[in-house]
Amino acid sequence: MAATPHPHSPTTEAPVLLVMGSGDRRYREYIVAAVSRHFRLWLLDAHEPSWQLPYVEGTSLLDTKNLDELLVEAKKVMQQLPVVGVFTYDESLVHAAARLAEALGLPGSAPDAVLACRDKATTRARLVAADVPQPACTPVATAAEARGAADRTGYPVVIKARGLAGSLGVVRADDGDAVEAAFEAASSANWPGVPRYEADVLVEEYLTGPEISIDAVVVDGVCTPMIVARKQVGMDPYFEETGHTVDAADPLLQDPELLDQLHRIHQVLAFEHGATHTEFKLTPKGPRLVEINARLGGDFIPLIGMLATGTDPAVAAAQVAAGLTPDTAPKARKTAAIRFLYPESDCEAVEVTVRTDLFGPTVHSAVATAGPGTTLALPPRAYMNRYGYVIAVGEDRDQVTADADAAPTLVELRSRPLDA
């Protein structure tokens, strides 16, 4: 466990956050960069740092799942620097971060509350017991159990992995014959560091209607929504996330039924301090929870939220982790959107080209995320296998939408089919 000093700070007197994990530079650097302008950062990571170094005060290489190891290293850092909190945006580390914060006496929700968010079966059970409307949900361990649960629930059903996020391994099954393949897809989906359960797959009632997410901060039990992102999904019967749109003036931010459910969910799960990403379907019967995560949203949702509102959810989440009450009021009234690009079929990328000459007036950025030789496979073979994305932002919502939807012409993929 070597600690490697690397001077970087907004001021030499700024407080320090312990940042657990850092992730893929392409999708995470914007968070580290934003937070480093407000706090000095000390990175606790299982991987040798590289791109993170300009943003951090120091780094410790260690097993981020081992609480004893984390405590020893954190206490060493605290002897040198004014550590005020533990911060993570990594789904696989939220429970370890909560345990570390609790052991160090730093701000955060109880580890049990974080686990109640991570384990979708526990989430449903606690909310049902508290009379918060929920879709029918049955944990199962085998394909036969899944088919029985689906028959009882009524078709179509959604079959999903119990502890994953980001729509990984989530499949709609329209009849009994589709359940077995859906169970296989859900049970085989995995993500490093995500726990598995004896009954590891959920069979849930299918919810109809648009899907949204709410990124919020919670301080002393008070939940403050910052942004609503309207989600696009594709690759039916899978639910691969293909885009998000944030309007700073979205009327859902004032919707009493939605906000009441949001507050009740946090209250029942006893999540009292931190940042959350909560997904809902807006069904004909009202909003219904899809899942809640004890962290910031992924897929650049905090970034497009910042571009739309002028207030950064990532910075707000870090401030809450430090025991501060952030200013969450919007400073701008814009719309921002992101669209992710997938191939039409499984392939190998030959070349990905960004066509800056075709940018519309609200295009903020267009990025190629796959280089030559990258394998691009679609569900159920692989998930989130994108070759690029486009972000648009502006005051004219229709223009933003048009520019974002032009993403396939702005980032061109040349590919060859994968060998069978």
Side-chain angles (χ1 to χ4, degrees):
M1 295 178 297
T4 308
H6 191 98
H8 173 87
S9 63
T11 68
T12 54
E13 294 79 26
V16 176
L17 280 178
L18 300 175
V19 179
M20 286 188 57
S22 50
D24 187 332
R25 180 177 190 173
R26 298 169 299 172
Y27 287 88
R28 298 303 199 178
E29 185 174 13
Y30 79 95
I31 297 177
V32 179
V35 174
S36 73
R37 292 191 284 270
H38 298 264
F39 296 92
R40 290 185 287 168
L41 306 180
W42 192 283
L43 178 64
L44 306 174
D45 210 334
H47 305 285
E48 192 73 43
S50 55
W51 63 265
Q52 306 91 336
L53 293 175
Y55 302 109
V56 301
E57 184 84 2
T59 67
S60 299
L61 192 64
L62 74 174
D63 180 358
T64 48
K65 305 297 195 306
N66 185 318
L67 181 61
D68 291 337
E69 203 170 319
L70 284 165
L71 273 172
V72 168
E73 193 63 24
K75 288 177 179 178
K76 287 181 184 177
V77 178
M78 294 176 77
Q79 290 174 357
Q80 309 170 40
L81 297 167
V83 173
V84 293
V86 179
F87 176 61
T88 191
Y89 43 79
D90 186 326
E91 175 69 24
S92 68
L93 296 177
V94 290
H95 185 236
R99 294 178 69 204
L100 178 60
E102 181 181 65
L104 295 173
L106 296 172
S109 281
D112 180 69
V114 172
L115 275 184
C117 296
R118 294 210 65 202
D119 177 2
K120 296 176 177 59
T122 297
T123 301
R124 296 285 192 219
R126 292 190 182 183
L127 293 173
V128 167
D131 294 324
V132 180
Q134 297 294 295
C137 173
T138 307
V140 297
T142 67
E145 289 179 6
R147 183 156 188 166
D151 288 344
R152 292 190 298 273
T153 301
Y155 295 94
V157 293
V158 172
I159 297 182
K160 62 173 67 172
R162 181 169 171 175
L164 292 178
S167 299
L168 295 178
V170 182
V171 192
R172 191 192 71 237
D174 293 335
D175 54 47
D177 291 340
V179 169
E180 188 168 336
F183 177 88
E184 175 61 27
S187 60
S188 62
N190 63 80
W191 193 259
V194 172
R196 310 308 298 228
Y197 303 87
E198 184 176 347
D200 199 45
V201 171
L202 302 181
V203 178
E204 293 193 342
E205 173 188 352
Y206 177 70
L207 300 173
T208 60
E211 188 167 349
I212 66 161
S213 63
I214 300 176
D215 275 50
V217 289
V218 187
V219 178
D220 296 331
V222 178
C223 178
T224 303
M226 294 189 67
I227 56 171
V228 169
R230 296 186 183 250
K231 182 189 294 189
Q232 292 183 341
V233 297
M235 297 173 219
D236 185 62
Y238 304 96
F239 295 84
E240 196 80 353
E241 298 180 9
T242 59
H244 306 274
T245 300
V246 173
D247 182 345
D250 196 309
L252 289 175
L253 287 165
Q254 309 300 326
D255 183 275
E257 186 178 9
L258 177 63
L259 296 183
D260 178 64
Q261 280 207 33
L262 181 72
H263 291 296
R264 290 176 66 195
I265 288 164
H266 284 79
Q267 184 179 44
V268 170
L269 299 178
F271 192 96
E272 298 184 338
H273 202 93
T276 59
H277 175 76
T278 310
E279 299 177 355
F280 291 91
K281 277 284 190 78
L282 304 180
T283 79
K285 296 181 180 180
R288 294 292 183 268
L289 178 71
V290 175
E291 64 180 51
I292 179 171
N293 308 106
R295 53 163 173 79
L296 287 166
D299 271 358
F300 294 104
I301 291 174
L303 176 60
I304 63 171
M306 184 276 293
L307 292 172
T309 68
T311 302
D312 195 335
V315 172
Q319 290 171 330
V320 172
L324 304 173
T325 301
D327 176 7
T328 59
K331 309 301 186 294
R333 297 282 180 179
K334 296 180 180 179
T335 297
I338 188 166
R339 300 291 183 265
F340 296 104
L341 292 160
Y342 294 81
E344 294 182 0
S345 59
D346 294 356
C347 65
E348 179 184 298
V350 174
E351 183 180 32
V352 184
T353 305
V354 176
R355 293 292 304 275
T356 56
D357 56 309
L358 299 178
F359 281 12
T362 69
V363 172
H364 171 272
S365 55
V367 177
T369 56
T374 301
T375 296
L376 298 170
L378 302 176
R381 187 170 178 176
Y383 299 90
M384 299 178 70
N385 238 337
R386 302 151 172 169
Y387 66 86
Y389 63 85
V390 170
I391 295 175
V393 57
E395 296 180 356
D396 183 336
R397 181 186 177 93
D398 290 342
Q399 184 65 58
V400 168
T401 301
D403 287 344
D405 289 346
T409 65
L410 303 182
V411 183
E412 293 181 346
L413 171 66
R414 190 162 61 88
S415 65
R416 64 171 64 93
L418 286 180
D419 295 333

